[in-house]
Amino acid sequence: SFFGKATTPLFLSFESVSSIQLPITGASNATIYWGDASEGTYTSGDTKTYSSSGNYTITIYGTDGSNNASATAFGNASGWTGNSTLLAVNTLNKSTWGLTGLTSLSGAFSGATNLVSVPKNIPSTITDISSMFKDATSFNQAIRGWMNNTSNITTMASCFNGATAFNKNIRYWSVEASATLTNMFNGA
């Protein structure tokens, strides 16, 4: 258990951050541990301002003893407060990333210029990864393990747009269902 709860949380590690607004849509049953000994029930649009800039790991977990928090989307294509200081994303549950009902990762790491690590698998429920790594200029992790769960993704537009460091093999990704691949590697 984590913090006394049976859960499979999502971890987000930040460096030199002073304020964060998580890009979670449709959240319910979610508690956020902000990495500074404070926690609370997540409300869409909540902004966390720290008393001092520093390195924090945020943990998102279910509030009622369930295994996961629920959300439909994690991401915002126009970026989100704190994203540029995001270093790593990790989870103990590779099939949901700790968020059940998740269908969109559009803009999840857009503008995350320091991001170097994400989970090695992507949830099979995801249908949209547009702008997911847009302008994530440090990201170059092998994500070949995602190949088994890309067959449901219908939108990959601008996924790696401006991700100048990304140079990994994704040739085994299934793109047959993807109706939109526009600018997927533009500027990458």
Side-chain angles (χ1 to χ4, degrees):
S1 75
F2 190 82
F3 296 106
K5 303 179 186 312
T7 186
T8 52
L10 179 65
F11 301 98
L12 305 169
S13 298
F14 295 84
E15 179 179 67
S16 301
V17 68
S18 58
S19 180
I20 296 172
Q21 183 178 32
L22 295 175
I24 301 173
T25 304
S28 64
N29 186 36
T31 294
I32 309 295
Y33 174 73
W34 293 102
D36 66 349
S38 67
E39 68 177 271
T41 302
Y42 181 77
T43 303
S44 184
D46 281 353
T47 299
K48 169 66 175 177
T49 301
Y50 293 97
S51 60
S52 63
S53 180
N55 301 344
Y56 298 96
T57 297
I58 294 175
T59 307
I60 304 168
Y61 59 96
T63 58
D64 66 356
S66 68
N67 283 338
N68 302 289
S70 175
T72 56
F74 182 94
N76 181 340
S78 60
W80 45 279
T81 304
N83 66 339
S84 64
T85 62
L86 180 64
L87 292 175
V89 179
N90 201 352
T91 184
L92 302 175
N93 187 330
K94 294 175 183 174
S95 64
T96 68
W97 282 21
L99 299 168
T100 59
L102 198 59
T103 59
S104 176
L105 291 172
S106 176
F109 313 118
S110 178
T113 56
N114 294 310
L115 180 70
V116 294
S117 178
V118 298
K120 295 185 188 305
N121 292 309
I122 190 170
S124 62
T125 55
I126 299 300
T127 60
D128 185 352
I129 60 170
S130 60
S131 300
M132 186 174 183
F133 298 102
K134 182 180 179 194
D135 298 323
T137 55
S138 297
F139 184 73
N140 192 30
Q141 175 189 338
I143 48 178
R144 184 176 175 186
W146 289 20
M147 69 183 179
N148 295 326
N149 289 328
T150 56
S151 61
N152 293 326
I153 298 173
T154 58
T155 305
M156 295 184 182
S158 299
C159 183
F160 298 99
N161 186 353
T164 54
F166 188 74
N167 190 26
K168 297 298 182 190
N169 184 349
I170 60 168
R171 72 177 178 187
Y172 295 107
W173 280 22
S174 173
V175 296
E176 291 85 15
S178 296
T180 310
L181 298 168
T182 310
N183 294 321
M184 186 170 174
F185 294 99
N186 186 45

